[in-house]
C-alpha cells in the first residue's frame, strides 16, 4: 500500500462525505491507499454518514473514539491503525485540498532514502479564514518560530506527509499535531514546506477560536522548547 490518509473528525456530518470523495478522486488512479477517518466522539450524525459511505467504499476505514479526546489523539489513533509505511494527514473540515496530497507524497518518497526523518508540510500561503483566525495564527506562528526555530511558515496546516514509524517514535502529548515539524527536527529530521491550496469552510463550524489557538498554544510551545533542550542525538556503531 502506497499511502494511508488519516483524518480526525468531530461533528463534521456536513463536510466529511464530500472530502472522502475528493480524496478518492485524487488518489485512486495512481496510488494504492486507504482512508482512515477517526470519529473523535462526535455528537451529531458523523458516524452514521461514515458507516453509510463505508458500505460502498472499500478503501475507507472508520475508527471511533468513545469520548472526545482531541485532534492530536485522533491523529495518533489513525496512524496506529494505518497499514502503510507512509502517512498523509489532513483536517476534516474540507479546507485542505486533497488534490495537493500527491505533490507532498512524491516529495517525501523522492527524498526518503537520504532523509528518513523528513516531513513534507503544507503551507497555506493564501489563507481562506476569518480575520480573527488569521491574526491569532500569525501571532502564534511568530512566537513559535522565535522559540522553536523550526523554519516552518505554517506548522498549523493539517496537510502533512511523513513516515508512520517515525511519527510513532515521537513524544506524545495533547496538541502535538501542531508541532510535528519541531518534533521531527528534534530527532534530527528535516522539514520541506510546499505551498498548498486553502479553501473556505463551506459547511459546519470551526472547533477552534482565539483562546485555544493562541494562549493554549503558548503553553505548548514552552513544553516543546523543553523537549528540544533535552534531546540528545548520537551516532552509533555496533562492534
Amino acid at each position: 500500500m502506497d499511502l494511508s490518509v488519516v483524518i480526525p473528525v468531530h461533528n463534521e456530518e456536513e463536510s466529511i462525505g464530500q472530502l472522502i470523495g475528493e480524496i478518492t478522486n485524487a488518489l485512486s488512479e495512481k496510488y494504492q491507499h486507504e482512508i482512515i477517518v477517526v470519529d473523535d466522539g462526535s455528537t451529531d450524525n458523523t458516524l452514521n454518514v461514515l458507516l453509510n459511505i463505508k458500505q460502498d467504499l472499500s478503501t475507507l476505514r472508520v475508527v471511533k473514539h468513545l469520548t472526545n479526546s482531541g485532534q492530536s489523539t485522533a491523529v495518533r489513533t489513525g496512524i496506529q491503525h494505518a497499514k502503510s509505511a507512509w502517512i498523509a494527514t489532513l483536517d476534516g473540515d474540507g479546507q485542505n485540498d486533497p488534490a495537493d496530497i500527491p505533490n507532498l507524497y512524491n516529495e517525501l518518497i523522492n527524498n526518503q532514502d537520504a532523509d528518513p526523518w523528513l516531513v513534507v508540510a503544507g503551507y497555506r500561503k493564501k489563507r481562506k479564514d476569518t480575520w480573527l483566525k488569521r491574526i491569532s495564527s500569525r501571532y502564534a506562528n511568530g512566537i513559535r518560530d522565535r522559540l522553536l526555530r523550526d523554519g516552518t511558515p505554517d506548522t498549523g496546516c493539517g496537510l502533512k506527509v511523513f513516515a508512520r514509524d517515525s511519527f510513532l517514535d515521537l513524544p506524545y502529548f495533547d496538541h502535538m499535531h501542531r508541532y510535528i515539524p519541531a518534533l521531527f527536527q528534534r530527532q534530527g529530521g528535516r522539514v520541506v514546506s510546499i505551498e498548498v491550496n486553502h479553501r473556505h469552510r463551506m459547511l459546519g463550524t470551526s472547533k477552534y477560536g482565539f483562546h485555544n489557538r493562541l494562549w493554549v498554544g503558548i503553553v505548548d510551545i514552552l513544553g516543546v522548547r523543553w523537549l528540544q533542550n533535552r534531546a540528545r542525538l548520537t551516532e552509533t556503531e555496533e562492534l
Side-chain angles (χ1 to χ4, degrees), residues 87-139:
I87 303 295
T89 63
L90 71 164
D91 293 337
D93 57 13
Q95 289 193 267
N96 298 140
D97 190 344
D100 288 314
I101 295 176
N103 289 338
L104 274 67
Y105 173 75
N106 290 333
E107 178 71 21
L108 179 77
I109 294 303
N110 290 338
N111 293 278
Q112 181 61 213
D113 289 342
D115 196 350
W117 280 92
L118 177 67
V119 178
V120 184
Y123 171 28
R124 301 166 296 177
K125 189 173 183 180
K126 298 177 182 178
R127 295 280 298 265
K128 298 298 194 303
D129 280 324
T130 64
W131 67 269
L132 181 59
K133 282 187 181 180
R134 292 197 301 270
I135 290 174
S136 61
S137 291
R138 187 178 301 127
Y139 276 105

Side-chain angles (χ1 to χ4, degrees), residues 138-200:
R138 187 178 301 127
Y139 276 105
N141 276 323
I143 294 170
R144 172 193 49 76
D145 186 56
R146 284 193 293 272
L147 291 177
L148 302 184
R149 302 184 184 278
D150 58 14
T152 307
D154 186 16
T155 188
C157 180
L159 185 53
K160 296 181 177 71
V161 181
F162 45 79
R164 176 185 183 272
D165 289 347
S166 296
F167 175 88
L168 293 176
D169 277 342
L170 298 177
Y172 162 71
F173 55 91
D174 196 16
H175 302 139
M176 68 171 290
H177 69 281
R178 293 187 174 277
Y179 305 98
I180 287 175
L183 293 170
F184 269 75
Q185 288 172 347
R186 176 181 179 267
Q187 301 295 113
R190 183 169 63 94
V191 181
V192 173
S193 294
I194 294 180
E195 186 174 344
V196 295
N197 185 32
H198 192 239
R199 309 183 291 191
H200 291 285

